[in-house]
Amino acid sequence: MIAEALRAVILADAEISGALASYNFGAGPEPAVFTIDPIPRDSALPAVIIREVSGVPFETRAQEGAEQDVDVMLWGNKQRSVIALKLLAWDLYYLIHRCNPAITGHREIGVYASPPQGVTDDEGFPGFRVPVMVRVLRN
Amino acid sequence: MYPGFDCILQINGAAIGIIRDFDPDYPAEMLDITIRDSNGWEENVQGLKSWSASGEMLWVPTNAGLQALWNAYVAGTLLTVLWTDPDGYGRQGSARVSRFHPGPQGLRDALMVSIDLEGSGTVSVVSPGS
């Protein structure tokens, strides 16, 4: 739900989504922005993976909600420069921080991203993690 | 035993759904009547009773309850304050708003309003069907 909403925010930015690899989700090629992990093996890089990792309740007496922690992971190609990937990660951070995603059945009360953190996986692929906290209340 | 989120707060008959925390308090003044014949123990009698409450709610400026609290703060008028548990047991009294605090407006926080109420007059016990 929240991951899907952030995915829509990223896809709506032509500059960022245009810098990602393409993947055919079944309806033709689209920017490689996934809400599942691991991503399909046949996906090219760079790709974005959005994972809801943890959260706590946020609510009033009449409305339930949550503060959901989300990891927006940007993975790059081993053969390419990390510099361009880092710049893309910062663009992602500025796009997501304080954005206003449309979340089905909920009202968003703040989206807070933290600056990108460099990561590598076991196979040496370079990546950046943008931690995000999304606060929502059910309608 | 009840969770706090199942308790109900009403201001002037209307439920306040945007409330998060609500903390009513009923202290009584204790008057010292200790004398030399008190055998080394303090003695007291109850003096005046009072009550107060504090609460925190989400800032929703269109909410009728929040508007009523602000209007009562500005005009200094009495509000009817009723809180009950889910089964309908609680307390009812009249109070004035002694503090209306829309903040702190923290950069990373949801905007909240804190309110303090000062009771005026008798508090009545509320039970189901009363």
Side-chain angles (χ1 to χ4, degrees):
Chain A
M1 178 186 76
I2 290 175
E4 286 72 16
L6 290 177
R7 181 175 186 268
V9 169
I10 295 171
L11 292 180
D13 186 289
E15 197 172 322
I16 291 177
S17 56
L20 301 173
S22 291
Y23 186 77
N24 189 344
F25 290 86
E30 291 179 54
V33 182
F34 300 90
T35 58
I36 55 163
D37 189 22
I39 63 176
R41 286 191 162 271
D42 58 345
S43 173
L45 298 170
V48 171
I49 304 173
I50 306 169
R51 302 180 312 176
E52 296 165 0
V53 291
S54 67
V56 293
F58 175 81
E59 56 201 340
T60 67
R61 296 231 176 138
Q63 288 176 290
E64 298 155 314
E67 288 182 343
Q68 176 81 57
D69 292 322
V70 179
D71 274 350
V72 177
M73 306 293 302
L74 172 66
W75 290 106
N77 203 311
K78 268 195 289 192
Q79 285 78 33
R80 299 245 177 110
S81 164
V82 174
I83 296 173
L85 194 71
K86 182 187 287 187
L87 291 174
L88 185 57
W90 275 91
D91 288 342
L92 260 178
Y93 160 61
Y94 285 124
L95 172 69
I96 293 171
H97 185 52
R98 300 191 189 184
C99 71
N100 301 111
I103 303 173
T104 307
H106 292 74
R107 176 166 41 133
E108 163 262 313
I109 312 178
V111 176
Y112 307 95
S114 296
Q117 304 161 4
V119 296
T120 51
D121 76 346
D122 295 339
E123 296 177 37
F125 285 94
F128 288 89
R129 173 174 166 263
V130 178
V132 182
M133 191 278 282
V134 180
R135 185 183 294 118
V136 295
L137 273 181
R138 286 178 77 175
N139 288 332
Chain B
M1 303 290 285
Y2 311 102
F5 58 70
D6 276 342
C7 294
I8 299 160
L9 172 68
Q10 290 185 19
I11 302 283
N12 288 352
I16 309 294
I18 57 172
I19 193 100
R20 284 164 53 87
D21 301 322
F22 186 68
D23 185 16
D25 189 26
Y26 304 91
E29 196 180 17
M30 302 311 286
L31 306 175
D32 183 7
I33 57 167
T34 310
I35 56 176
R36 291 192 185 188
D37 284 349
S38 296
N39 293 320
W41 290 91
E42 287 185 3
E43 293 185 272
N44 52 56
V45 293
Q46 191 184 66
L48 291 173
K49 289 178 276 291
S50 64
W51 77 274
S52 63
S54 60
E56 184 188 69
M57 58 193 75
L58 202 59
W59 168 260
V60 181
T62 55
N63 181 272
L66 192 60
Q67 291 174 347
L69 285 162
W70 174 255
N71 293 338
Y73 162 73
V74 170
T77 48
L78 282 172
L79 295 164
T80 301
V81 181
L82 165 68
W83 68 265
T84 64
D85 64 28
D87 289 338
Y89 295 94
R91 301 290 184 269
Q92 176 170 295
S94 298
R96 288 187 172 83
V97 178
S98 60
R99 184 167 177 257
F100 188 98
H101 176 62
Q105 297 175 8
L107 207 55
R108 292 193 158 233
D109 302 326
L111 182 55
M112 299 289 179
V113 180
S114 300
I115 55 150
D116 289 340
L117 302 172
E118 288 294 324
S120 180
T122 311
V123 171
S124 55
V125 175
V126 176
S127 55
S130 66

